[in-house]
Amino acid sequence: EAQVTQNPRYLITVTGKKLTVTCSQNMNHEYMSWYRQDPGLGLRQIYYSMNVEVTDKGDVPEGYKVSRKEKRNFPLILESPSPNQTSLYFCASGTRTSGRSHEQYFGPGTRLTVT
Amino acid sequence: DAKTTQPPSMDCAEGRAANLPCNHSTISGNEYVYWYRQIHSQGPQYIIHGLKNNETNEMASLIITEDRKSSTLILPHATLRDTAVYYCIVRVLWGSQGNLIFGKGTKLSVKP
């Protein structure tokens, strides 16, 4: 089954404790992206990757890092989380090179609480 | 990307057609109309897209006016599971960031 998976789905952590949220897709998509969703602000893009080893900042990149060493994985790293990073996070993937290039596929979400 | 306007909420009776409107009066010639939905904090789900012509797939139909300034998403026989926030997004196929700009959407409530 074609899917985007994220882990963990729920995480409560404390300020300053480094954490990684993993994202993996099994569709051989070259494009991957991270969003955060906050009440009243909608979904905002954090980082994106057009292909392996190619990453760039989205609209709200401060406080986050990403890496893209393999095509299927795109982890989101919070090196020193703060309470304002409490949010619902979504990973997405897509392709620009096939007949389904109009669709982006989203993961189930990771709800992060930073205390 | 062009700005879209959608009603904040709509109700629909189960089994009836749900017609969700979207205004995008500043759409450019190379911009597509996309519809996604989000069911209660789950990941957004692609529904359908179109450029000029009306489109239909297994989930829905998309009607785009001739001047392309507005469109309507039609769920032909709404079920309780269609209760969700529906987002109309106008964008070129793959812009510089590839991102989808989600507005506030329309909260559709399907009632028994």
Side-chain angles (χ1 to χ4, degrees):
Chain A
E1 180 192 355
Q3 61 182 351
V4 179
T5 57
Q6 295 179 226
N7 282 292
R9 294 289 314 281
Y10 302 90
L11 179 59
I12 300 174
T13 189
V14 297
T15 299
K17 186 176 181 183
K18 181 178 178 179
L19 67 92
T20 299
V21 183
T22 65
C23 172
S24 183
Q25 49 91 6
N26 63 0
M27 296 166 279
N28 201 37
H29 287 166
E30 66 276 8
Y31 176 85
M32 298 185 75
S33 177
W34 276 103
Y35 291 82
R36 61 177 288 174
Q37 185 173 29
D38 303 291
L41 296 175
L43 284 104
R44 295 175 292 168
Q45 191 185 49
I46 303 170
Y47 267 93
Y48 64 98
S49 170
M50 290 294 188
N51 215 324
V52 176
E53 302 291 1
V54 180
T55 64
D56 211 341
K57 296 176 181 179
D59 299 319
V60 288
E62 294 77 22
Y64 304 95
K65 285 176 58 176
V66 292
S67 69
R68 188 88 183 275
K69 294 187 174 67
E70 306 166 279
K71 201 170 188 180
R72 64 182 293 127
N73 296 323
F74 190 44
L76 179 70
I77 304 156
L78 286 73
E79 296 220 322
S80 183
S82 63
N84 65 11
Q85 292 178 299
T86 292
S87 188
L88 180 57
Y89 291 86
F90 292 103
C91 180
S93 74
T95 179
R96 308 205 291 178
T97 58
S98 81
R100 300 190 81 90
S101 59
H102 284 275
E103 302 176 40
Q104 290 195 25
Y105 296 78
F106 284 78
T110 295
R111 189 169 290 280
L112 172 65
T113 302
V114 184
T115 62
Chain B
D1 292 345
K3 184 178 170 63
T4 62
T5 304
Q6 300 178 250
S9 64
M10 293 182 65
D11 289 342
C12 177
E14 189 178 19
R16 305 297 293 269
N19 297 281
L20 292 91
C22 179
N23 285 323
H24 32 79
S25 58
T26 60
I27 190 170
S28 300
N30 62 346
E31 289 181 314
Y32 292 80
V33 179
Y34 293 84
W35 284 83
Y36 280 74
R37 73 180 182 183
Q38 187 175 24
I39 299 172
H40 189 57
S41 296
Q42 296 179 20
Q45 176 189 23
Y46 165 87
I47 302 172
I48 198 167
H49 75 276
L51 183 62
K52 296 180 189 176
N53 301 322
N54 299 338
E55 302 288 345
T56 295
N57 64 19
E58 64 278 3
M59 287 183 70
S61 294
L62 174 60
I63 308 297
I64 302 174
T65 58
E66 195 167 340
D67 63 7
R68 302 212 319 128
K69 293 184 177 181
S70 66
S71 60
T72 301
L73 177 74
I74 301 172
L75 307 178
H77 305 288
T79 70
L80 298 178
R81 287 177 294 182
D82 291 321
T83 292
V85 179
Y86 287 78
Y87 298 97
C88 171
I89 299 167
V90 172
R91 67 186 280 258
V92 296
L93 175 52
W94 280 98
S96 58
Q97 293 179 208
N99 59 325
L100 297 162
I101 298 177
F102 292 83
K104 295 189 183 332
T106 295
K107 184 175 173 58
L108 175 69
S109 298
V110 181
K111 300 181 184 300

